Amino acid sequence: RQRIALARALAVEPKVLLLDEPFGALDAKVRKELRRWLARLHEDVHLTSVFVTHDQEEAMEVADRIVVMNKGVIEQIGTPAEVYANPASEFVYHFLGDANRLQLDEQRSVLFRPHEVSLSREAAAEHMAGEVRDIRPLGALTRVTLKVAGQAEPIEAEVGNDHASLVGVRRGSTLYFQPKGQALRAG
């Protein structure tokens, strides 16, 4: 039905196509198929579209430019790669994917994504200890949830299923972690 509705809208050859959460009521697999179809359609037709969505994966896959808004105020405009790699605010950082917050002290914290976590079975000077609270296989990746002493929010790490730190690990085990790569320092 969504494709038919879109075909009808395109039949009048609009200059701009407005799409307000067009895939909202569909299951995940159909949404993904329609996103790919819409992206190919845009390449073929060269039509400007405004696509409203609360689904960051949808925005990243369909858009060539993203406008991230918070309560009616524009937080950032850029390509999907620019906005993801260089978020202008903590809101943008959180909106575009899972994020960990590590409290450094009462006033400073650092934000980093689960795939930006270095995990180890061995303690190192720059690593922090975390108690394994959950281990969740997610296809090719495994998500490990860690409880860090003195911090309310858990830390989530995503590593390949064959990662050395996962061998023999179970709930209650201690793993050592540190943010790697680009981390956003929040005030």
Side-chain angles (χ1 to χ4, degrees):
R1 279 195 227 164
Q2 299 295 69
R3 288 182 196 195
I4 292 169
L6 195 51
R8 284 185 183 145
L10 293 170
V12 296
E13 298 182 8
K15 291 189 185 332
V16 176
L17 184 63
L18 302 175
L19 301 161
D20 187 4
E21 304 244 13
F23 309 143
L26 304 173
D27 68 61
K29 184 176 181 186
V30 173
R31 285 173 74 106
K32 195 167 212 166
E33 289 170 5
L34 285 174
R35 284 197 308 255
R36 290 179 179 155
W37 176 78
L38 183 62
R40 285 192 310 270
L41 179 71
H42 276 109
E43 287 177 18
D44 296 343
V45 177
H46 303 292
L47 176 67
T48 298
S49 295
V50 177
F51 189 101
V52 177
T53 184
H54 288 87
D55 181 326
Q56 67 269 22
E57 186 177 323
E58 203 163 76
M60 299 292 278
E61 191 170 342
V62 173
D64 58 359
R65 305 244 332 132
I66 291 178
V67 178
V68 179
M69 297 183 74
N70 181 11
K71 299 177 184 170
V73 176
I74 294 173
E75 292 270 340
Q76 187 170 0
I77 300 172
T79 67
E82 290 167 349
V83 174
Y84 186 83
N86 300 301
S89 67
E90 189 171 331
F91 175 84
V92 174
Y93 195 93
H94 282 282
F95 182 75
L96 292 177
D98 293 335
N100 291 305
R101 175 189 304 280
L102 183 61
Q103 208 61 45
L104 303 176
D105 57 35
E106 287 185 23
Q107 298 170 349
R108 296 180 310 134
S109 61
V110 62
L111 298 175
F112 52 98
R113 303 205 184 278
H115 69 272
E116 298 172 326
V117 177
S118 173
L119 274 185
S120 175
R121 297 297 294 261
E122 305 295 323
E126 60 278 354
H127 282 69
M128 297 185 66
E131 178 187 336
V132 176
R133 289 292 174 95
D134 191 38
I135 305 163
R136 224 24 88 186
L138 305 171
L141 298 175
T142 295
R143 179 180 297 139
V144 179
T145 303
L146 302 170
K147 172 66 179 135
V148 179
Q151 177 165 312
E153 295 178 50
I155 298 296
E156 290 187 339
E158 290 178 356
V159 296
N161 290 339
D162 60 350
H163 196 274
S165 67
L166 298 178
V167 176
V169 75
R170 61 184 183 278
R171 286 184 187 171
S173 297
T174 298
L175 288 177
Y176 300 92
F177 75 95
Q178 77 172 52
K180 62 182 179 181
Q182 299 278 344
L184 178 68
R185 296 211 181 274

